[in-house]
Amino acid sequence: MDLLKETNFGFLGPKTAGKVRDIYERDGKLILITTDRHSSFDRIIAHIPWKGQVLNQVSAWWFEKTKDIVPNHVLAIPDPNVTIARKFTLLPVEAVVRGYLTGVTDTAAWTRYAAGQREFGGTVLPEGMRKNQQLPQPLFDPTTKEAAHDRVLTPEQMIAEGFITPDLFAVIKTTALALFARGQEVAARSGLILVDTKYEFGTDADGRLVLIDEIHTPDSSRYWQRDSYAARFAAGEEPQYFDKEFLRLWFRDHCDPYRDTTLPPAPPELVDELSRRYIAMFEQITGTKFAHGATPISPRIERNLRAAI
């Protein structure tokens, strides 16, 4: 199986390697190459066949579906794994929008609600809500974007600490909620619930807002199956969801992924299953059959990029 673990295209210039994407800057543009790297525990734990293509193409699909709401950074998609984008000034705010009271991490809405918090992004939730319950209205619940760790701050704290101006914060909130409403509407037609997501924004030379990074992918968003949600919620059961956790749990059970220098290889059957699930999510979200890109992947990308630039 051909995998895109990393790229080293010297003709593109210096590379910045993120968790999943390799990023090259050339002539004021960003070349974003989405690899098959799978990250957890702050490290790469596996490489999932076709994951990079799925993420890049799902994002491209959603960018097209939402460009009437806000401009985005896409200039071209010259390859299934590649986006050529305009470079903008990154805003240090991650625009998190939540439609349901759920999650298990420290920053998750349900975790904070269960601990007694009732105000989220300026909205006060009622008492007596249950895990996985639909919120009265979608919540704008942003975090900071910082090198050390992201923080959940109130709008007032973000403005006071200089992360954002009041006017720009208002524009980000309005835009993020509009994108989320569109996402929920489109997802519903595919039998999905868009539960929560995060957006990243930049500004152009005139200070206008632009959507960057990715949008509504299985990595940046939580999706549930729509047709079974009501019955499962009534029965106190977890919704049907796109599950990546089984691979993470395997590593947790077979090593110390935070401390061990070398991790055991991921079981092939789990890697194959996760690949199948990514492809299934692509097909359900977009309503189209997944078309595997030509292999070998890296030479294909190089050919397409040389032709594009």
Short mmCIF file of all heavy atoms in Angstrom, two decimals, residues 14 37 45 63 65 75 86 88 113 181 194 196 214 219 227 237 247 251 267 277 280 284 286 299:
data_model
loop_
_atom_site.label_atom_id
_atom_site.label_comp_id
_atom_site.label_asym_id
_atom_site.label_seq_id
_atom_site.Cartn_x
_atom_site.Cartn_y
_atom_site.Cartn_z
N PRO A 14 11.67 26.05 1.26
CA PRO A 14 11.66 25.50 2.63
C PRO A 14 10.29 24.93 3.01
O PRO A 14 9.25 25.42 2.57
CB PRO A 14 12.00 26.72 3.50
CG PRO A 14 12.64 27.69 2.57
CD PRO A 14 12.01 27.48 1.24
N ARG A 37 -0.37 11.10 7.63
CA ARG A 37 0.03 11.00 9.04
C ARG A 37 -1.20 11.07 9.94
O ARG A 37 -2.13 11.84 9.71
CB ARG A 37 1.00 12.13 9.40
CG ARG A 37 2.31 12.08 8.64
CD ARG A 37 3.35 13.01 9.24
NE ARG A 37 3.07 14.41 9.06
CZ ARG A 37 3.56 15.18 8.08
NH1 ARG A 37 4.36 14.65 7.15
NH2 ARG A 37 3.29 16.46 8.02
N ILE A 45 1.25 8.46 15.35
CA ILE A 45 1.10 7.08 15.80
C ILE A 45 0.89 6.10 14.65
O ILE A 45 1.04 4.88 14.84
CB ILE A 45 -0.05 6.93 16.83
CG1 ILE A 45 -1.40 7.28 16.21
CG2 ILE A 45 0.23 7.79 18.06
CD1 ILE A 45 -2.59 6.93 17.10
N PHE A 63 -15.22 24.23 1.14
CA PHE A 63 -14.85 25.61 0.77
C PHE A 63 -15.73 26.10 -0.37
O PHE A 63 -16.18 27.25 -0.37
CB PHE A 63 -13.37 25.67 0.35
CG PHE A 63 -12.40 25.79 1.49
CD1 PHE A 63 -11.32 24.91 1.60
CD2 PHE A 63 -12.53 26.79 2.45
CE1 PHE A 63 -10.41 25.03 2.64
CE2 PHE A 63 -11.63 26.91 3.50
CZ PHE A 63 -10.57 26.03 3.60
N LYS A 65 -18.76 25.07 -1.04
CA LYS A 65 -20.14 25.18 -0.56
C LYS A 65 -20.37 26.42 0.30
O LYS A 65 -21.53 26.79 0.56
CB LYS A 65 -20.51 23.94 0.26
CG LYS A 65 -20.57 22.64 -0.51
CD LYS A 65 -21.78 22.59 -1.41
CE LYS A 65 -21.89 21.23 -2.10
NZ LYS A 65 -23.01 21.20 -3.07
N LEU A 75 -6.73 28.82 -3.96
CA LEU A 75 -6.45 29.27 -5.31
C LEU A 75 -6.62 28.14 -6.31
O LEU A 75 -7.14 28.35 -7.41
CB LEU A 75 -5.02 29.81 -5.40
CG LEU A 75 -4.75 31.16 -4.72
CD1 LEU A 75 -3.26 31.44 -4.71
CD2 LEU A 75 -5.50 32.28 -5.43
N ARG A 86 -3.76 31.27 -1.01
CA ARG A 86 -3.22 32.58 -0.70
C ARG A 86 -2.74 32.60 0.75
O ARG A 86 -3.30 31.92 1.61
CB ARG A 86 -4.28 33.66 -0.87
CG ARG A 86 -4.84 33.83 -2.26
CD ARG A 86 -5.90 34.93 -2.28
NE ARG A 86 -6.56 35.04 -3.56
CZ ARG A 86 -7.64 34.37 -3.92
NH1 ARG A 86 -8.18 33.50 -3.07
NH2 ARG A 86 -8.19 34.54 -5.10
N PHE A 88 -2.43 34.60 4.18
CA PHE A 88 -3.05 35.71 4.89
C PHE A 88 -2.46 35.81 6.30
O PHE A 88 -1.76 34.91 6.76
CB PHE A 88 -4.57 35.51 4.97
CG PHE A 88 -5.25 35.55 3.64
CD1 PHE A 88 -5.61 34.38 2.98
CD2 PHE A 88 -5.53 36.75 3.02
CE1 PHE A 88 -6.23 34.41 1.74
CE2 PHE A 88 -6.14 36.81 1.78
CZ PHE A 88 -6.50 35.63 1.14
N TYR A 113 -19.66 21.89 31.57
CA TYR A 113 -21.03 22.00 32.08
C TYR A 113 -21.21 21.11 33.31
O TYR A 113 -21.79 21.53 34.33
CB TYR A 113 -22.02 21.62 30.99
CG TYR A 113 -23.48 21.78 31.38
CD1 TYR A 113 -24.15 22.97 31.12
CD2 TYR A 113 -24.18 20.74 32.00
CE1 TYR A 113 -25.49 23.13 31.48
CE2 TYR A 113 -25.50 20.89 32.35
CZ TYR A 113 -26.16 22.08 32.09
OH TYR A 113 -27.48 22.23 32.46
N ALA A 181 -24.20 27.01 10.48
CA ALA A 181 -25.59 26.81 10.05
C ALA A 181 -25.64 26.18 8.66
O ALA A 181 -26.43 25.26 8.41
CB ALA A 181 -26.34 28.14 10.07
N LEU A 194 -23.93 17.71 11.99
CA LEU A 194 -22.67 18.40 12.29
C LEU A 194 -22.78 18.88 13.73
O LEU A 194 -23.54 19.79 14.03
CB LEU A 194 -22.45 19.56 11.33
CG LEU A 194 -21.19 20.40 11.58
CD1 LEU A 194 -19.92 19.56 11.47
CD2 LEU A 194 -21.13 21.59 10.62
N ASP A 196 -20.17 19.71 16.19
CA ASP A 196 -19.34 20.86 16.53
C ASP A 196 -18.16 20.90 15.57
O ASP A 196 -17.87 19.92 14.88
CB ASP A 196 -18.88 20.84 18.00
CG ASP A 196 -18.29 19.50 18.43
OD1 ASP A 196 -17.58 18.88 17.62
OD2 ASP A 196 -18.54 19.07 19.57
N GLU A 214 -8.73 24.44 7.10
CA GLU A 214 -9.63 23.39 6.63
C GLU A 214 -11.03 23.69 7.12
O GLU A 214 -11.23 24.56 7.98
CB GLU A 214 -9.18 22.01 7.13
CG GLU A 214 -9.19 21.86 8.64
CD GLU A 214 -8.70 20.49 9.10
OE1 GLU A 214 -8.81 19.52 8.33
OE2 GLU A 214 -8.22 20.39 10.24
N ASP A 219 -11.58 15.39 10.75
CA ASP A 219 -10.60 15.69 11.80
C ASP A 219 -10.91 16.97 12.56
O ASP A 219 -10.57 17.10 13.73
CB ASP A 219 -9.20 15.80 11.20
CG ASP A 219 -8.54 14.43 11.02
OD1 ASP A 219 -9.24 13.41 11.15
OD2 ASP A 219 -7.34 14.40 10.74
N ASP A 227 -30.18 9.61 11.63
CA ASP A 227 -31.40 8.81 11.75
C ASP A 227 -31.52 8.08 13.09
O ASP A 227 -32.62 7.73 13.50
CB ASP A 227 -31.54 7.83 10.59
CG ASP A 227 -30.38 6.85 10.49
OD1 ASP A 227 -29.44 6.94 11.32
OD2 ASP A 227 -30.40 6.00 9.58
N GLU A 237 -28.05 6.41 25.34
CA GLU A 237 -26.93 5.80 24.65
C GLU A 237 -26.13 6.85 23.88
O GLU A 237 -26.66 7.91 23.52
CB GLU A 237 -27.42 4.73 23.67
CG GLU A 237 -28.17 3.59 24.34
CD GLU A 237 -28.82 2.65 23.34
OE1 GLU A 237 -28.81 2.97 22.14
OE2 GLU A 237 -29.34 1.60 23.78
N LEU A 247 -8.17 3.29 17.55
CA LEU A 247 -6.73 3.19 17.32
C LEU A 247 -5.96 3.83 18.48
O LEU A 247 -4.96 3.29 18.96
CB LEU A 247 -6.35 3.84 15.99
CG LEU A 247 -4.88 3.67 15.58
CD1 LEU A 247 -4.51 2.20 15.45
CD2 LEU A 247 -4.61 4.41 14.27
N PHE A 251 -3.20 1.93 21.32
CA PHE A 251 -1.87 2.38 21.75
C PHE A 251 -1.83 2.60 23.26
O PHE A 251 -0.85 2.23 23.92
CB PHE A 251 -1.48 3.67 21.01
CG PHE A 251 -0.91 3.41 19.65
CD1 PHE A 251 -1.71 3.45 18.52
CD2 PHE A 251 0.43 3.09 19.50
CE1 PHE A 251 -1.18 3.20 17.26
CE2 PHE A 251 0.97 2.84 18.24
CZ PHE A 251 0.16 2.89 17.13
N PRO A 267 -1.53 -2.04 14.43
CA PRO A 267 -1.98 -3.28 13.78
C PRO A 267 -2.57 -2.99 12.39
O PRO A 267 -3.39 -2.08 12.24
CB PRO A 267 -3.07 -3.80 14.73
CG PRO A 267 -2.74 -3.19 16.05
CD PRO A 267 -2.18 -1.85 15.75
N ARG A 277 -13.06 3.87 7.16
CA ARG A 277 -14.01 4.82 7.78
C ARG A 277 -13.82 6.23 7.23
O ARG A 277 -14.81 6.96 7.04
CB ARG A 277 -13.85 4.80 9.30
CG ARG A 277 -14.27 3.47 9.91
CD ARG A 277 -14.27 3.50 11.42
NE ARG A 277 -14.47 2.16 11.97
CZ ARG A 277 -14.77 1.91 13.23
NH1 ARG A 277 -14.87 2.90 14.10
NH2 ARG A 277 -14.94 0.66 13.64
N ALA A 280 -15.50 6.22 3.91
CA ALA A 280 -16.96 6.19 4.08
C ALA A 280 -17.49 7.57 4.46
O ALA A 280 -18.56 7.99 3.98
CB ALA A 280 -17.34 5.16 5.14
N GLN A 284 -20.21 9.83 2.40
CA GLN A 284 -21.48 10.28 2.96
C GLN A 284 -21.57 11.80 2.99
O GLN A 284 -22.63 12.38 2.70
CB GLN A 284 -21.67 9.72 4.39
CG GLN A 284 -23.07 10.05 4.94
CD GLN A 284 -23.40 9.29 6.21
OE1 GLN A 284 -22.59 8.52 6.72
NE2 GLN A 284 -24.59 9.52 6.75
N THR A 286 -20.02 14.05 0.98
CA THR A 286 -20.07 14.67 -0.34
C THR A 286 -21.13 14.06 -1.25
O THR A 286 -21.50 14.67 -2.26
CB THR A 286 -18.71 14.55 -1.04
OG1 THR A 286 -18.45 13.17 -1.33
CG2 THR A 286 -17.59 15.11 -0.18
N PRO A 299 5.43 10.88 -6.53
CA PRO A 299 5.73 11.32 -7.90
C PRO A 299 4.55 11.99 -8.59
O PRO A 299 4.71 12.93 -9.37
CB PRO A 299 6.14 10.03 -8.61
CG PRO A 299 6.62 9.14 -7.51
CD PRO A 299 5.74 9.45 -6.35
#
